[in-house]
Amino acid sequence: MARSRYYDDDDDRDYRRRGPRSSNQSLIIIFGLGGCLLCICLVVCGGFFFLGMRSFRDAVQSATAQAQQQMQDEEDAEMSADAFMQDVAANRLNDAYARTTKEFQTRLKFAQFRDFVTKNPGLRSYQPQSLDESTFSPRLAIYTGTIFGQNGAQMSFTLQLAKEGTTWKIDRFTMP
C-alpha cells in the first residue's frame, strides 16, 4: 500500500539513486573549482614573488656596481693628484702640465705654470701619498696637502680635479 497519494515505492528507489549522485557531483564540481582557483592563486603569487626577487636582485647588483665605480673613481682621482704632485716635485713640469684640464691650460699658460712652481721651491719636497681628500663627487674632487720646506716651514696647497672624459685632471692648483 502506498504511504501517500504522492509517494510510490518505485519513486523511493529512483529518489535514492538520483539524490546522492547529484550531491556528489556538486561537491566534486565545487572542490574542483576551488582547487583550480587555489592553483591559479599559487601560480600568480609565485610569479609576483619571482618578479619581486628578481627586481630586488637587480637593484642590489646595480647599487653594488655603482658603489664600486665610485670607489674606483675616488682611487683614480687620488692617484692623478699624487702623480701630478710627484711630477712637480721631480721637476717634470711638461708631464705635470699635461695632467691639467683644457680650462686650466687656458687660464694658466705653461710659462706661467713654470714660474709658479719656481716661485714655490717647497713643492720639490712633496712626499707621495700625503694628500687629504676634502671633497669628492662624480665629476669633482678636491685634495689638500702640506709640504714641509728645508727650514721646517709648512706650506699647504689645494688641488681641484675635474673629470675630463674618463680621466681625472688637475683643474685648479692653489697655494695660500
Side-chain angles (χ1 to χ4, degrees):
M1 163 171 210
R3 293 189 176 115
S4 78
R5 68 182 175 150
Y6 301 110
Y7 183 75
D8 186 4
D9 285 335
D10 292 333
D11 285 343
D12 189 33
R13 207 170 341 121
D14 290 341
Y15 174 73
R16 276 185 263 148
R17 208 173 342 152
R18 278 183 283 157
R21 188 168 30 142
S22 172
S23 65
N24 282 343
Q25 284 178 346
S26 298
L27 284 175
I28 290 172
I29 290 172
I30 290 172
F31 283 133
L33 288 174
C36 287
L37 287 174
L38 180 63
C39 287
I40 290 170
C41 286
L42 287 174
V43 167
V44 169
C45 289
F48 283 140
F49 179 75
F50 172 76
L51 290 175
M53 290 304 291
R54 194 170 77 183
S55 295
F56 178 73
R57 182 199 66 206
D58 292 347
V60 167
Q61 285 177 342
S62 175
T64 301
Q66 189 176 11
Q68 288 175 340
Q69 180 62 43
Q70 183 171 348
M71 287 173 45
Q72 184 64 47
D73 274 352
E74 285 185 51
E75 186 177 318
D76 291 347
E78 185 173 355
M79 287 174 49
S80 293
D82 188 56
F84 172 81
M85 288 304 295
Q86 286 184 35
D87 285 344
V88 169
N91 204 30
R92 295 186 299 260
L93 299 183
N94 287 330
D95 294 339
Y97 194 71
R99 295 180 187 276
T100 61
T101 63
K102 302 278 186 239
E103 288 182 35
F104 181 94
Q105 293 172 5
T106 301
R107 287 189 311 266
L108 195 68
K109 300 299 178 200
F110 180 75
Q112 294 169 310
F113 175 70
R114 185 182 59 233
D115 292 343
F116 175 78
V117 172
T118 304
K119 288 179 186 176
N120 294 291
L123 291 172
R124 302 221 193 287
S125 65
Y126 172 77
Q127 297 297 314
Q129 303 296 325
S130 63
L131 297 172
D132 296 319
E133 178 183 317
S134 58
T135 302
F136 184 84
S137 69
R139 305 292 301 162
L140 175 74
I142 299 175
Y143 293 92
T144 58
T146 304
I147 300 169
F148 298 95
Q150 289 92 357
N151 59 359
Q154 291 184 1
M155 296 172 48
S156 62
F157 64 92
T158 303
L159 294 173
Q160 180 175 323
L161 285 82
K163 202 166 187 182
E164 253 185 10
T166 59
T167 307
W168 287 96
K169 293 191 172 190
I170 306 301
D171 192 46
R172 295 197 187 280
F173 178 34
T174 58
M175 296 182 73

